[in-house]
Amino acid sequence: MSKTEIVVVGAGIAGLTSAAILSKLGLSVTLIESHTQSGGCAGTFKRKRYIFDVGATQVAGLEEGGIHSKIFKFLDIPLPEASILNPACIVDLKDGSKPIPIWYDKDEWIKEREMQFPGSRQFWQLCNLIHQSNWTFANNNPVLPVKNFWDFSQLLKALVPTNLVTGILIKSTIFDLLRFCGLSNDERLIKFLNLQLKLYSQEDVYNTAALYGSTVLQMCQKPHGLWHLKKSMQALSDALEDSLKKRGVNIVFGQKVNSINFDYVKKSWKVCASSKQEKMVYFADDVIYTPPPQSLLKHLENPLDNNYNYKKRIQSLPDPSGALVFYSALKKEHIKVISSNHYQFVSNELGSLFVSISEEGDGRAPKGEITLIASLFTKTNDWFSLDKHDYIKKKKEYLQKISTALQNQFDIASENWLHKELATPLGFERWTNRPNGIVGGLGQNPDIFGLFGLSSRTPFKGLWLCGDSIYPGEGTAGVSQSALMVARQLLASKGINDFYL
């Protein structure tokens, strides 16, 4: 048995960040992770001479004033080495028109989008207005959704006059903005927006909240931008993990949480975990839970049974997507020259494929070679319902389909692959311990975003949620913002009301 002030479940970016912030402020923290390494969906794995990013392949928030930058400055640790992505991505709609580079420079991007999407200026200006309002609001440390007076006070402090104007769009979608601008029939623009929004909101233009979508559509441009990490995505979690170790935080790898219940005798939360070698019981005043909230249905049995409404809320959450991820390697000379590390294109058979390519000297492949990762969304039930024979057959079929699509898109000869393999939702479930191998958080539609989302504050005192299903959403920047918010809420519950970065 072990006693600590705070137990953090999960050593992904959300868990590492919340643990790092709270331990820096002097609280005793134990971090429990079922895997043998940190990082979660933003981690890496090794095959032969290659290092592959598991899921996330790009980072936002490293710029001055960005969430990672602020947190690392507070922790007094250096940011991982990274380079800005310019263009952040090239999008090929496969409609016979020129592919669309999404430039870092604002003026360059304005010229590009006006050439690619004539007549769309008003829509982009409206998105930018909403984004600027959102950004000021987010930097003022709001707490959403509001569950008590303290949360409400933080929301009021964060509001600026422009939020009162953009707030009328709280139930609107990106398609509503298009319709307002007379672009509801612009099929090419809608096709482009659908590809981009699905990556960051898990929804299309018809279902992505306008207040969320307007911001993610502006994140590639200065002064923000997307970044390519040197030494792989693991560099982000390694830096946070090193910070925790220097402060003596107890990080426990290879232990799977089995149950979380409140012990009324000890007046503490009781977290039961086990590895192949042992079983452990941890007691804590507070628990920060970073896995998807759907996992609470198996971990929080007794408290949930005593709160039917909350249990029903968890059960009624929309199903997130799964992913198929193709991991490969080849010589750089065997792929056509591309002016971006990231490429998105449409396949008639597969839908949208998002491709990430390593660069020379970034530690992912030997000199003269590259890693290429391609991903597409899939329904998890399409894989978990198969027997072993049909699963293996279907996996081989998709490996071949994706290989062929990439060969056609990038002029790759089939014999030039040095390595290729496919991960399905079953593989992601084993790696991340996320139910059904789901990726990303909840789809950011108007009924789930912001004020209407799932709160980090649960009905059970001392139990907190954090991660990609909690405001403001997915991505390493999103979950870090979530970690900061839950840390502030937890500290306020202990009487520390003035913590800001």
Side-chain angles (χ1 to χ4, degrees):
M1 291 187 182
S2 176
K3 181 70 170 71
T4 185
E5 287 180 276
I6 301 163
V7 164
V8 178
V9 179
I13 300 301
L16 290 165
T17 302
S18 56
I21 291 171
L22 292 167
S23 62
K24 178 72 161 56
L25 292 168
L27 282 76
S28 63
V29 179
T30 294
L31 179 58
I32 306 173
E33 168 58 47
S34 62
H35 207 311
T36 55
Q37 68 180 57
S38 64
C41 293
T44 60
F45 69 93
K46 190 172 183 179
R47 288 286 190 271
K48 301 176 183 176
R49 300 169 296 170
Y50 311 108
I51 293 176
F52 294 106
D53 297 323
V54 173
T57 57
Q58 52 188 210
V59 178
L62 292 178
E63 71 281 357
E64 183 69 28
I67 185 62
H68 290 308
S69 180
K70 290 195 292 188
I71 287 172
F72 275 57
K73 185 176 181 179
F74 168 74
L75 297 174
D76 196 26
I77 57 176
L79 282 166
E81 187 181 355
S83 55
I84 198 73
L85 291 168
N86 186 32
C89 183
I90 296 175
V91 181
D92 189 349
L93 300 179
K94 304 296 285 184
D95 59 358
S97 301
K98 179 185 174 184
I100 305 156
I102 303 176
W103 301 105
Y104 172 64
D105 181 80
K106 275 189 174 182
D107 292 336
E108 203 167 356
W109 172 230
I110 289 171
K111 290 179 185 177
E112 186 70 40
R113 71 195 187 204
E114 290 188 353
M115 179 186 70
Q116 296 278 359
F117 310 110
S120 66
R121 178 182 296 186
Q122 186 183 15
F123 167 76
W124 293 106
Q125 288 176 335
L126 181 56
C127 284
N128 186 59
L129 175 68
I130 296 168
H131 166 63
Q132 294 300 328
S133 175
N134 288 350
W135 195 250
T136 304
F137 176 69
N139 280 336
N140 289 340
N141 297 297
V143 171
L144 288 172
V146 171
K147 286 297 179 182
N148 65 10
F149 180 77
W150 187 85
D151 292 351
F152 183 64
S153 71
Q154 302 308 299
L155 175 62
L156 286 181
K157 288 179 183 177
L159 288 172
V160 295
T162 54
N163 298 142
L164 303 178
V165 178
T166 58
I168 63 175
L169 300 170
I170 197 165
K171 279 291 188 176
S172 300
T173 66
I174 290 294
F175 186 72
D176 291 327
L177 302 187
L178 288 169
R179 187 161 45 194
F180 176 77
C181 297
L183 297 167
S184 58
N185 294 319
D186 191 329
E187 294 182 2
R188 189 164 188 269
L189 176 58
I190 289 173
K191 187 176 183 180
F192 169 77
L193 295 174
N194 276 338
L195 292 180
Q196 285 289 289
L197 291 172
K198 183 67 174 176
L199 287 176
Y200 303 112
S201 74
Q202 300 223 19
E203 300 282 7
D204 57 19
V205 294
Y206 306 101
N207 296 292
T208 297
L211 296 183
Y212 183 84
S214 295
T215 287
V216 299
L217 289 172
Q218 310 287 323
M219 288 306 295
C220 299
Q221 279 76 54
K222 192 176 181 180
H224 310 297
L226 298 178
W227 302 77
H228 179 79
L229 287 181
K230 304 292 183 182
K231 301 180 181 178
S232 82
M233 286 294 295
Q234 195 71 36
L236 191 64
S237 51
D238 282 349
L240 291 166
E241 187 180 330
D242 288 345
S243 173
L244 290 169
K245 288 177 178 176
K246 287 176 182 176
R247 283 194 296 278
V249 172
N250 183 25
I251 308 175
V252 184
F253 289 112
Q255 284 202 358
K256 194 172 182 178
V257 169
N258 300 314
S259 65
I260 301 172
N261 289 291
F262 192 78
D263 189 312
Y264 289 94
V265 176
K266 293 183 177 290
K267 297 182 179 179
S268 297
W269 283 96
K270 179 181 179 182
V271 180
C272 297
S274 62
S275 65
K276 293 180 180 179
Q277 293 79 29
E278 61 182 352
K279 294 182 178 180
M280 284 292 294
V281 177
Y282 302 89
F283 289 97
D285 299 325
D286 293 90
V287 174
I288 297 177
Y289 189 85
T290 69
Q294 293 90 335
S295 298
L296 285 172
L297 296 172
K298 66 176 180 179
H299 288 153
L300 199 66
E301 295 177 3
N302 293 342
L304 280 180
D305 287 340
N306 294 327
N307 193 313
Y308 175 75
N309 289 336
Y310 193 65
K311 183 175 183 179
K312 188 176 180 181
R313 175 78 196 277
I314 299 296
Q315 289 173 330
S316 65
L317 290 173
D319 293 330
S321 296
L324 297 179
V325 186
F326 175 89
Y327 302 102
S328 68
L330 63 158
K331 290 185 178 180
K332 192 173 183 180
E333 64 191 60
H334 289 154
I335 183 173
K336 71 177 183 181
V337 176
I338 304 164
S339 59
S340 176
N341 294 93
H342 300 281
Y343 206 97
Q344 189 177 23
F345 70 96
V346 178
S347 162
N348 290 332
E349 187 174 12
L350 298 169
S352 169
L353 276 146
F354 182 73
V355 179
S356 298
I357 300 169
S358 65
E359 61 183 37
E360 195 74 51
D362 69 4
R364 291 167 173 84
K367 187 176 181 180
E369 298 180 13
I370 60 165
T371 61
L372 184 155
I373 302 171
S375 60
L376 63 145
F377 288 105
T378 187
K379 294 180 180 178
T380 58
N381 289 339
D382 290 349
W383 295 88
F384 281 88
S385 60
L386 301 173
D387 61 30
K388 185 176 181 180
H389 176 269
D390 289 341
Y391 171 79
I392 293 172
K393 180 182 177 183
K394 187 171 184 176
K395 186 176 178 180
K396 286 181 179 178
E397 288 174 352
Y398 269 90
L399 181 68
Q400 185 57 49
K401 288 177 182 178
I402 296 172
S403 299
T404 301
L406 292 169
Q407 287 161 197
N408 293 337
Q409 181 68 33
F410 298 115
D411 299 337
I412 301 168
S414 60
E415 66 271 15
N416 285 335
W417 296 109
L418 298 175
H419 176 84
K420 58 180 181 176
E421 63 179 283
L422 184 72
T424 73
L426 275 76
F428 273 88
E429 184 181 56
R430 289 193 298 271
W431 181 272
T432 64
N433 206 27
R434 293 167 69 97
N436 287 347
I438 56 177
V439 297
L442 302 174
Q444 297 297 310
N445 63 65
D447 294 329
I448 206 76
F449 175 66
L451 283 172
F452 309 104
L454 192 66
S455 174
S456 50
R457 192 187 297 275
T458 74
F460 316 108
K461 184 180 179 181
L463 178 66
W464 312 86
L465 301 185
C466 178
D468 56 16
S469 293
I470 307 301
Y471 177 83
E474 62 184 73
T476 61
V479 300
S480 296
Q481 191 76 47
S482 166
L484 173 59
M485 183 176 71
V486 81
R488 294 182 64 239
Q489 288 177 300
L490 190 153
L491 290 165
S493 74
K494 297 180 180 296
I496 305 170
N497 295 297
D498 56 351
F499 173 64
Y500 301 95
L501 290 186

